[in-house]
Amino acid sequence: MIAAGRRLGIPVVIGSAGGAGAAPHLTWLRDIVDEIATERALRLRVAVIPADIDHDTVLRALQAGRISAVPRGPELTAEDVRASVHLVAQMGTAPLVAALRNGADVVLAGRAYDPAVFAALPLLHGFDEGLALHMSKILECAAIAALPGSGSDCMLGTLRRDHFVLEPLDPARRCTPTSVAAHTLYEKSDPSRLPGPGGYLDLSGCVFTPEDDGRSVRVSGSRHVAQPFAVKLEGARLRGYRTVSVAGARDPVFIREIGSIVQGVRDRVADNFPDIPADSYELLVRVYGADGCMGALEPAPQAAGHEVGIVIEAVADSQDLADTLCGFARSTMLHFGYPGRLSTAGNLAFPYSPSDFHAGAVYEWSVYHLMENDDPLALFPISYLDYPEQPGYADRRARTGDLS
Amino acid sequence: MTAPLTELADVIRSKNAGPYEITIDIIFTAQDQYDLVKRQRAINRDMVAELYRMPVDDVSEPIFYDPARAVKINLRRPLVSGNVGERDVYGAQQHGPLLTVRLPTP
């Protein structure tokens, strides 16, 4: 993609690096581009835009009352900020447009508003922000707005002064006014008002019209309403380390008794490790075929089939402790006695040996909040790498290399 | 007359809308059916709260979106997405209870 973009003079904008868009992900992405540029001897200007934000900046904003919660989200505390392993701010279009204006052929962005990656080029050329962002919001979801929908191939967006047209690139798909309109609902809490960095998209007045080819759709009436600039902050805290064990059960009496068996296993674990405070670890047993997908929300939580799937999970402060807890719970469940038991040789069918797996470090959301910020560029410093390497390149690379 | 929602809708889906909410979309096949549901508020907070065994406060007022013949309902996630104890990180399989619903027809 990078070589083809260079050949055709089309800028390539990538974000959020690695999905989450923190420093290690951006470094990983930059190293890939570095390898491609060097191997193919490309003449390339690469802009690198980290989105990391230091803890002190967030703590100061918190103290100044410039951080707010999102709907149904908690208020931020200083403890949440301090516990965050990484903190990023979600950039809008401004840093991406600035990088393109400065001649970048490739832009590598840390955490970025998904549509911004697509909207940056049209905004550089002065297109309407509402139309550019709405079109980009659809394009960033590949062909999900087409019929049949797909996340694995692309759509062509043609942006004009007062509308845009969407056309799926796979001839087996087509867009309809309904399929495109429906996409504005996707993963959003309000289809008419989509907030982003620096404002919101007002889609209440959108008109979706079929084009004559029967597979393209024209969209007009998307509006961007500017608001005082704010960025979304995202942070993760390390919760512990996870070990899981996967098993099945095929015995009808065991399945009938599964609720009390699970409780019995949990009690036995607590009894066996009296020195480990109960609030310092989590032991979970999920029963698929009962309430595995929905838990407390499941309207039919009783196992009704001829077999169930069981996932035992322990999360603790160390991988060793998680291993111990998961292993003990697994062997307890394997040999657990219950009323009416016929199959006294073992209750579980394990597909694997060894039966337990390290799922490694476990992270949870620590920060997902809005921070007022006067300058949309200030948090996102842009640096440039010019290929092929020039004298002094190593110094410049070292500067952009210091991302963490 | 009533009919199963599964016969009246092209799409019944759930997904995260951020880490704190699950959003449910129902896209109706026919305009007159959508109009009836919107007019009668046949899909409403109380009904959804009961289906999901949730407090009504955890269910947002349904949003009707005419251009897509769609109704959107937002639920408070029982757990912040990905927290220990999670069952559906992306919230993509939380639509099940709606599949049993019957609605009045035009």
Side-chain angles (χ1 to χ4, degrees), chain A residues 70-74 144 177-178 181-192 203-204 206 208 239 242 282 284-288 291-301 313 315 362-369, chain B residues 10 13 15-23 25-28 45 51-54 56-60 63-65 67-72 74-78 80-88 93-97:
Chain A
V70 300
R72 302 214 188 267
I144 285 180
T178 306
H183 188 265
T184 60
L185 300 158
Y186 185 65
E187 293 180 330
K188 295 289 172 190
S189 53
D190 185 341
S192 304
L203 303 182
S204 56
C206 276
F208 303 88
R239 172 61 194 270
R242 176 180 279 137
E282 295 273 358
L284 300 160
V285 181
R286 292 185 177 72
V287 181
Y288 289 89
D291 62 351
C293 295
M294 295 193 67
L297 303 186
E298 175 56 61
E313 162 187 355
V315 177
V362 178
Y363 294 90
E364 293 183 341
W365 287 106
S366 53
V367 180
Y368 190 93
H369 294 77
Chain B
D10 289 337
R13 69 184 176 196
K15 196 73 183 276
N16 285 357
Y20 306 121
E21 286 186 303
I22 285 171
T23 189
D25 299 334
I26 300 168
I27 301 175
F28 286 94
R45 292 174 78 189
L51 276 173
Y52 282 85
R53 299 143 41 113
M54 272 184 174
V56 177
D57 283 350
D58 288 354
V59 180
S60 299
I63 298 168
F64 289 86
Y65 186 60
R69 298 187 299 275
V71 55
K72 176 181 272 299
N74 299 312
L75 310 177
R76 177 193 295 274
R77 270 182 144 278
V80 177
S81 173
N83 275 13
V84 172
E86 179 60 78
R87 292 168 180 272
D88 187 356
Q93 284 293 304
Q94 303 303 307
H95 61 297

Side-chain angles (χ1 to χ4, degrees), chain A residues 262-276:
Chain A
V262 168
Q263 189 53 50
V265 169
R266 299 177 59 86
D267 293 346
R268 196 77 63 83
V269 171
D271 282 353
N272 199 66
F273 299 97
D275 298 339
I276 305 172

Side-chain angles (χ1 to χ4, degrees), chain A residues 229-243:
Chain A
F229 198 83
V231 288
K232 186 169 71 175
L233 302 176
E234 294 175 349
R237 76 161 70 81
L238 179 66
R239 172 61 194 270
Y241 298 84
R242 176 180 279 137
T243 304

